[in-house]
Amino acid sequence: MNAAISSAVKGLHLNIDRAGSWLAPLTLRVFIAWEFFESGLEKWNGENWFADIQDRFPFPFNHVPATLNWELSMWAELVFALAILVGLGTRISAIALIVVTVVATAAVHWPADWSTLSELAQGYSITNKGYGNFKLPLIYLAALMPLLLSGAGKLSLDALLARFFWRRNNR
């Protein structure tokens, strides 16, 4: 009886591992694509408010006109979100969205003034109560890192293209 349970658990783990190698990266890609595409659409349909915070942008973006920063951010969020969704150029897209996220964190989400780690920790929240609100951008960075480091996974155009070129070069 013990051996049967052990065998069943091992079989379950094996099947979860197999599914995970296909579905885990896809889950991250869908999450990231949704979040960034939604943000890009908000910019597409909204008014440019970057002029109000232009001085808080990190170098070199603080030297770029606010209108261009708005366009760069909007198009990066729209195009790279779609690329990540289908798994095309995933690592490059992840790098681009990491840059967008770091710039947004510095300009919008990081606390303007803090002197202790406990004050900084208060900014680890979704709503800004005077201490910043960098929790969500940090979640995005954590979700982008596996895509940057491991790629899009098996259910992606990146994997399909890699298989095609591997077969073509190994004939």
Side-chain angles (χ1 to χ4, degrees):
M1 180 76 156
N2 237 359
I5 292 173
S6 178
S7 178
V9 168
K10 283 182 183 178
L12 179 63
H13 282 176
L14 182 62
N15 287 329
I16 289 172
D17 287 345
R18 284 186 190 140
S21 68
W22 289 83
L23 297 176
L26 178 62
T27 303
L28 283 176
R29 289 185 5 239
V30 169
F31 167 70
I32 286 296
W34 176 271
E35 291 296 322
F36 280 94
F37 194 81
E38 185 179 52
S39 180
L41 280 180
E42 285 178 16
K43 288 179 181 67
W44 176 277
N45 294 314
E47 301 260 340
N48 183 348
W49 44 268
F50 279 11
D52 299 337
I53 60 166
Q54 186 67 22
D55 60 325
R56 296 193 313 220
F57 278 75
F59 179 83
F61 299 99
N62 60 341
H63 296 292
V64 175
T67 303
L68 182 56
N69 272 333
W70 183 266
E71 292 288 324
L72 287 171
S73 176
M74 177 188 66
W75 284 110
E77 290 171 341
L78 293 171
V79 171
F80 293 121
L82 290 175
I84 281 182
L85 180 63
V86 298
L88 180 63
T90 302
R91 288 184 163 130
I92 292 167
S93 298
I95 289 170
L97 293 178
I98 286 169
V99 169
V100 168
T101 303
V102 168
V103 170
T105 302
V108 178
H109 302 285
W110 198 252
D113 189 31
W114 59 278
S115 57
T116 66
L117 289 178
S118 66
E119 285 180 0
L120 179 62
Q122 292 179 54
Y124 185 73
S125 66
I126 300 295
T127 59
N128 189 349
K129 296 180 181 173
Y131 299 101
N133 59 338
F134 56 86
K135 183 176 189 173
L136 202 52
L138 192 58
I139 291 169
Y140 296 158
L141 290 174
L144 284 163
M145 289 309 292
L147 298 176
L148 171 63
L149 298 173
S150 298
K154 294 179 180 181
L155 281 175
S156 67
L157 289 178
D158 288 344
L160 182 68
L161 290 170
R163 283 193 300 273
F164 172 77
F165 286 112
W166 183 84
R167 284 186 194 138
R168 189 170 178 213
N169 291 332
N170 290 310
R171 286 185 182 178

